[in-house]
Amino acid sequence: MLFQKSGPVSWIVVFLGNPGPQYTNTRHNAGFMAGEAMERLQNVKINRVRFKALTAICPIGGETVLLMKPQTYMNLSGEAVGQAARFYKVPPAHILVVSDEMSLPIGRIRVRPKGSAGGHNGLKNIISVLGTEEFPRIRLGVGAPPHPDYDVKDWVLSVFRNQDAVDMAGAAKRAAEAVECYIRHGADKTMNIYNQSK
């Protein structure tokens, strides 16, 4: 199917992660995993280098959507988001960010129309650059460290294995579907469907 451009970009979807093969399939790259699921769902490749990110443009529900995987490393994700938002004049309410979440068990996703960074450095930087917390986000559960003394950095950079990897693949697919649902139907319907147990 040929993509007929329906107008300027009206939504930006940001999948958060760290670039580089050493970060593939780590907990902190759950957002990138959702981006890969989105590629399969939309039959696109997020591979055009723009705005310090890998990007693709696709239609969803009559909207023209920019998909982004920032290549700045997590704690500078806002640089890529800010560039794209300014270029396309997209308001924060139409910037949907997909990221990992330690406070959720593996396989769960949580949709919110706005909220704090919750200690997440990528979200913190995006909030700083956009100057607001009023943007939607989809957070993928990656589980909490196994004991209180476990180094958080080591935990988020650890790789999913065995059943955890299976559960995360399912969560990434649901997160991509939730992105489509949010753009087509809004926050309330998406939260009702996807903020449930896996």
Side-chain angles (χ1 to χ4, degrees):
M1 182 180 74
L2 291 174
F3 168 41
Q4 300 296 320
K5 186 169 171 57
S6 60
V9 165
S10 52
W11 280 84
I12 297 172
V13 180
V14 186
F15 301 99
L16 294 186
N18 284 308
Q22 68 271 38
Y23 299 110
T24 301
N25 295 327
T26 58
R27 293 169 198 277
H28 225 16
N29 273 30
F32 275 12
M33 294 177 201
E36 288 149 17
M38 194 73 184
E39 288 180 308
R40 293 187 288 273
L41 193 61
Q42 282 288 323
N43 194 28
V44 297
K45 285 289 181 189
I46 304 174
N47 61 6
R48 184 182 180 194
V49 180
R50 295 183 76 194
F51 312 118
K52 298 185 179 181
L54 299 178
T55 69
I57 290 179
C58 68
I60 299 175
E63 304 283 349
T64 302
V65 181
L66 177 72
L67 308 176
M68 302 182 70
K69 292 167 68 176
Q71 300 294 292
T72 56
Y73 290 99
M74 184 68 81
N75 62 349
L76 296 175
S77 300
E79 292 182 4
V81 178
Q83 283 189 15
R86 288 189 296 271
F87 183 84
Y88 288 114
K89 298 180 172 59
V90 174
H94 278 209
I95 299 173
L96 178 54
V97 180
V98 184
S99 67
D100 59 290
E101 174 55 70
M102 285 196 305
S103 70
L104 289 174
I106 291 171
R108 286 286 300 277
I109 69 172
R110 179 175 292 154
V111 181
R112 290 284 184 267
K114 60 183 177 180
S116 70
H120 192 285
N121 287 332
L123 289 171
K124 194 180 299 182
N125 190 244
I126 293 170
I127 289 168
S128 174
V129 170
L130 295 180
T132 181
E133 297 180 343
E134 306 269 324
F135 58 87
R137 66 280 311 266
I138 297 172
R139 304 181 80 159
L140 286 81
V142 298
H147 52 79
D149 296 331
Y150 202 104
D151 185 270
V152 169
K153 184 177 178 183
D154 289 344
W155 178 250
V156 296
L157 296 181
S158 64
V159 174
F160 293 106
R161 301 189 187 282
N162 306 318
Q163 188 60 43
D164 286 353
V166 174
D167 290 345
M168 273 311 300
K173 181 175 183 291
R174 285 196 307 283
E177 292 166 351
V179 166
E180 287 196 350
C181 186
Y182 199 104
I183 292 170
R184 290 178 185 273
H185 303 295
D188 290 346
K189 182 170 183 177
T190 309
M191 289 190 292
N192 286 340
I193 295 171
Y194 291 96
N195 288 359
Q196 311 294 331
S197 59
K198 57 182 178 176

